[in-house]
Amino acid sequence: MGISLYNAEGYKDPVPFEAINGIEREERRRNYRPLVYICSPYAGNEEWNTMKAREYSRFAVKKGVIPIAPHLLFPQFMDEATERELAMFMNMVLLGRCAELWVFGGRISEGMAAEILRAKRKRMRIRYFTEDFKEVTR
């Protein structure tokens, strides 16, 4: 919650105020985990691709970020066949809230290509990984 800039007598007392605020800022910085959008195939072999997306998300957690993988969430309550356009719109909204885009696998699907293009237009950092979590350059 912090400390007041004023002491118990109502006078400004900036030394303890700045000291405590500095400690709190450092604590927030140390515990900061950016949002990272997980970009990997979904369509095709949905069962396999879902399992892989879980693995990619777990990898991201181990790397100290908060993974956002809409293709793990949206299929729980949306139909890919009839609501794909709406799902892609919602994906782009979430992508816009993330600090980075992490692309996994060797195959870039149509949906992934759209997400990569959007990230490039937003000048986001994009990192590419193989299926076995090795970072590669593209």
Side-chain angles (χ1 to χ4, degrees):
M1 193 48 109
I3 188 169
S4 175
L5 177 59
Y6 299 92
N7 64 20
E9 297 171 350
Y11 296 103
K12 270 190 173 178
D13 197 358
V15 173
F17 175 78
E18 288 299 326
I20 297 297
N21 277 344
I23 291 168
E24 289 174 348
R25 272 192 305 275
E26 177 61 24
E27 184 70 21
R28 282 191 302 273
R29 186 194 62 74
R30 214 172 320 123
N31 291 328
Y32 176 72
R33 288 179 173 249
L35 293 176
V36 168
Y37 191 97
I38 304 300
C39 181
S40 64
Y42 177 71
N45 187 343
E46 293 172 4
E47 187 176 329
W48 172 260
N49 291 337
T50 297
M51 182 202 62
K52 293 304 289 181
R54 285 187 186 122
E55 291 177 9
Y56 302 147
S57 296
R58 185 70 207 153
F59 169 77
V61 169
K62 288 180 181 178
K63 291 296 184 180
V65 302
I66 300 170
I68 301 296
H71 52 307
L72 291 179
L73 173 64
F74 295 153
Q76 302 299 313
F77 56 87
M78 296 181 77
D79 181 14
E80 172 83 4
T82 61
E83 297 178 295
R84 179 162 175 72
E85 190 174 316
L86 176 58
M88 285 303 296
F89 169 77
M90 292 177 2
N91 290 350
M92 296 304 174
V93 170
L94 290 174
L95 176 59
R97 302 288 188 247
C98 294
E100 297 180 6
L101 174 74
W102 288 11
V103 180
F104 288 90
R107 181 177 70 86
I108 304 294
S109 69
E110 182 182 325
M112 291 171 66
E115 292 163 342
I116 293 166
L117 181 60
R118 176 70 172 247
K120 285 180 179 179
R121 286 183 178 155
K122 292 180 66 61
R123 300 179 197 268
M124 292 175 68
R125 181 176 185 206
I126 302 172
R127 297 175 68 184
Y128 293 89
F129 298 88
T130 63
E131 279 191 25
D132 58 348
F133 313 109
K134 305 284 189 268
E135 190 163 7
V136 296
T137 56
R138 287 199 184 171

